[in-house]
């Protein structure tokens, strides 16, 4: 009943959705050259042969799925992987990171006509949706076309679970699209079963299987030369409200740590000028990566407002604070700095990575702090006590290394579904 009502309302919502897309375009949240893709008009021809559709909502999910894409193309080299995302930042990262045999498109908005155009053009043989984005019209189209589908690296928050339980028949109908769900944690597996999904397994988190973030060697060498032996820490993937915390922490630490350099990486690079201006208004000397500047000896802070360079700054700074965790966003992926040997600090809001955070903390590989006082204290300890820093970084890297085989378990679980879709794997899926 609710699904039919939703379909009817979205069939009438075309003009309103187009106005919304225009507003997003004006705000820089859509790609003007690829806007038709959002309405289901393909930007590329469909390659011949089998096509596996992976949908990852945004940047974090699309990064997590890269090892799965590599494995699929290795084991089924005659197939094509189509990955869809919904943000311009994820599209830019996919342009840099996708291997040959994989192509990117923007996911269509969930209007019946847009979905029909998308499905008619791409005709996927299998669909793997990442984490927990459920669009009713897209899922209905998959069921109608009888496309074998799985939910991979599935995540369902307590709040989303409560919301879906208010409409159990609709939840069951939508989730019935998926023959299989591979949950990140046992808790989330239980939530999915509670909503009626029969085959749910807990096989680990794909984020552990991602390759270390890359860094351009010449850029890294230039930054190392510019920074020299200055004590340096990075506050990565900051959201509004956290940039000010970076300044507060810096001002508390600078009198006790001569020459301190604080690197701030906004989650959304377009905020760079705004962030730098706010720092300058506090009387601090600031440089910005997007202008091509390197931090010089007079800079207190450096704003790293470029895309896809976190690997550079995690290699440069031995201490990394995780953004999105000091405001109620849910945190960002702590495995990325762990893989590169940084000592990790984060705030109280890590619910998007609760299991990973708990594992790191239990191993002594991360410090959770409540506020800016705790942040400054932790960074001070880690920058001034090399032994403590090395022990914490080593513990975090061990957690990352010990769980790298998550993609093997995911592929083993998916092998029967892929075979049903006619995708003949050339090797052992594990």
């Amino acid at each position: 009943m609710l699904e039919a009502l939703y379909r009817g309302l979205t069939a009438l919502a075309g003009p309103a959705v187009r106005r919304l897309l225009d507003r997003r375009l004006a705000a820089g949240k859509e790609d003007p050259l690829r806007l038709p893709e959002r309405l289901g008009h393909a930007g590329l021809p469909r390659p011949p042969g089998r096509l596996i559709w992976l949908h990852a909502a945004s940047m974090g999910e699309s990064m997590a799925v890269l090892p799965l894409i590599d494995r699929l193309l290795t084991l089924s080299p005659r197939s094509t992987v189509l990955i869809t995302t919904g943000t311009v930042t994820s599209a830019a990262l996919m342009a840099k990171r996708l291997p040959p045999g994989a192509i990117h498109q923007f996911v269509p908005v969930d209007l019946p006509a847009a979905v029909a155009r998308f499905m008619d053009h791409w005709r996927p043989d299998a669909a793997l949706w990442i984490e927990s984005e459920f669009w009713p019209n897209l899922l209905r189209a998959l069921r109608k076309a009888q496309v074998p589908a799985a939910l991979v690296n599935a995540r369902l928050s307590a709040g989303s679970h409560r919301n879906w339980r208010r409409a159990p028949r609709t939840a069951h109908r939508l989730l019935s699209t998926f023959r299989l769900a591979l949950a990140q944690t046992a808790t989330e597996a239980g939530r999915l079963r509670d909503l009626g999904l029969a085959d749910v397994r807990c096989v680990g988190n794909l984020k552990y299987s991602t390759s270390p973030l890359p860094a351009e060697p010449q850029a890294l060498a230039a930054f190392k030369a510019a920074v020299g032996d200055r004590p340096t820490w990075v506050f990565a993937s900051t959201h509004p409200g956290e940039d000010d915390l970076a300044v507060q922490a810096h001002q508390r630490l600078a009198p006790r740590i001569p020459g301190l350099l604080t690197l701030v990486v906004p989650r959304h690079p377009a905020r760079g000028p705004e962030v730098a201006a706010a720092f300058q208004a506090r009387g601090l000397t600031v440089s910005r990566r997007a202008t091509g500047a390197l931090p010089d000896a007079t800079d207190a802070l450096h704003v790293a407002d470029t895309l896809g360079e976190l690997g550079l700054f995690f290699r440069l700074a031995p201490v990394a604070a995780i953004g999105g965790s000091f405001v109620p966003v849910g945190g960002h992926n702590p495995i990325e700095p762990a893989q590169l040997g940084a000592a990790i600090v984060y705030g109280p809001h890590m619910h998007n990575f609760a299991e990973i955070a708990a594992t790191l903390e239990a191993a002594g590989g991360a410090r959770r702090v409540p506020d800016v006082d705790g942040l400054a204290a932790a960074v001070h300890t880690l920058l001034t006590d090399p032994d403590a820093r090395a022990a914490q970084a080593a513990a975090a890297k061990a957690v990352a290394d010990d769980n790298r085989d998550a993609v093997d378990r995911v592929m083993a679980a998916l092998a029967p579904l892929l075979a049903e879709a006619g995708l003949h794997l050339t090797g052992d899926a594990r």
Side-chain angles (χ1 to χ4, degrees):
M1 178 69 176
L2 288 177
E3 190 179 12
L5 177 61
Y6 175 90
R7 181 168 174 78
L9 291 174
T10 52
L12 300 173
V17 170
R18 287 176 175 82
R19 288 194 294 273
L20 174 62
L21 288 174
D22 287 341
R23 289 196 296 273
R24 286 177 55 83
L25 182 63
K29 295 181 178 181
E30 298 287 346
D31 183 333
L33 299 179
R34 298 178 61 183
L35 195 62
E37 292 174 27
R38 298 287 270 147
L39 295 173
H41 298 286
L44 296 168
R46 186 197 189 281
R50 299 290 179 178
L51 185 139
I52 313 165
W53 173 27
L54 277 65
H55 174 59
S58 59
M59 185 162 59
E61 292 87 351
S62 58
M63 291 294 289
V65 84
L66 287 172
L68 181 59
I69 293 173
D70 287 337
R71 190 64 60 85
L72 287 167
L73 291 173
T74 297
L75 297 177
S76 186
R78 295 184 180 180
S79 300
T80 298
V81 170
L82 166 69
I83 180 165
T84 57
T85 66
T87 66
V88 292
T89 51
S90 61
L93 279 173
M94 291 299 95
K96 294 180 179 180
R97 300 290 298 274
L98 282 182
I103 56 180
H104 174 270
Q105 293 280 276
F106 283 103
V107 68
V109 293
D110 204 40
L111 299 177
V115 168
R117 282 190 288 267
F118 177 89
M119 292 293 292
D120 288 346
H121 179 83
W122 292 109
R123 305 184 311 281
D125 295 287
L128 308 176
W129 278 28
I130 313 304
E131 299 216 357
S132 59
E133 188 167 84
F134 306 136
W135 291 107
N137 288 329
L138 276 169
L139 292 179
R140 181 179 183 274
L142 284 173
R143 291 196 304 275
K144 186 177 178 182
Q146 298 183 320
V147 176
L151 189 59
V152 178
N153 225 42
R155 182 170 63 88
L156 190 67
S157 69
S160 295
H161 178 234
R162 284 194 300 272
N163 290 337
W164 282 115
R165 286 196 71 186
R166 297 189 183 108
R169 293 181 64 182
T170 300
H172 182 270
R173 177 71 170 161
L174 291 176
L175 290 174
S176 71
T177 305
F178 302 111
R179 314 275 182 89
L180 169 68
L182 305 178
Q184 292 184 16
T185 68
T187 298
E188 285 156 326
R191 291 170 184 158
L192 289 164
R193 290 190 192 99
D194 184 59
L195 295 179
L197 214 163
D199 191 354
V200 184
R201 309 174 203 176
C202 184
V203 296
N205 195 322
L206 275 174
K207 290 182 171 69
Y208 282 115
S209 296
T210 56
S211 298
L213 294 175
E216 204 280 318
Q218 289 182 334
L220 181 59
F223 263 89
K224 284 184 174 180
V227 172
D229 60 358
R230 292 181 66 182
T232 302
W233 69 292
V234 60
F235 202 154
S237 299
T238 60
H239 291 257
E242 291 179 317
D243 312 303
D244 189 57
L245 295 183
V247 171
Q248 292 180 48
H250 178 90
Q251 291 178 322
R252 296 179 194 195
L253 291 167
R256 295 186 289 163
I257 305 179
L260 178 69
L261 175 64
T262 297
L263 305 172
V264 178
V265 186
R267 179 66 174 177
H268 299 104
R271 293 182 55 241
E274 163 197 338
V275 171
F279 292 166
Q280 290 167 336
R282 300 283 289 267
L284 296 164
T285 306
V286 184
S287 54
R288 282 180 50 220
R289 171 68 170 152
T291 68
L294 294 169
D296 65 29
T298 66
D299 288 331
L301 296 100
H302 181 79
V303 178
D305 52 346
T306 51
L307 188 65
E309 289 196 308
L310 262 181
L312 169 65
F313 298 104
F314 285 149
R315 285 175 173 85
L316 188 69
V319 178
I322 304 298
S325 67
F326 291 86
V327 292
V329 169
H332 294 292
N333 186 1
I335 294 300
E336 293 171 344
Q339 290 175 325
L340 295 172
I344 302 163
V345 182
Y346 44 67
H349 304 289
M350 282 293 288
H351 49 268
N352 288 345
F353 298 86
E355 183 198 32
I356 292 176
T359 303
L360 286 169
E361 289 168 43
R367 299 185 184 212
R368 184 189 296 261
V369 298
D371 51 28
V372 68
D373 291 331
L375 173 63
V379 172
H380 180 268
T381 297
L382 291 167
L383 283 179
T384 59
D385 187 340
D387 291 339
R389 182 174 70 241
Q392 184 177 316
K397 191 171 188 306
V399 168
D401 291 344
D402 289 347
N403 289 278
R404 283 190 61 82
D405 61 351
V407 69
D408 299 329
R409 297 191 294 273
V410 168
M411 282 300 301
L414 291 175
L417 181 141
L418 295 173
E420 179 186 342
L423 296 154
H424 301 293
L425 306 181
T426 59
D428 187 345
R430 294 172 295 175

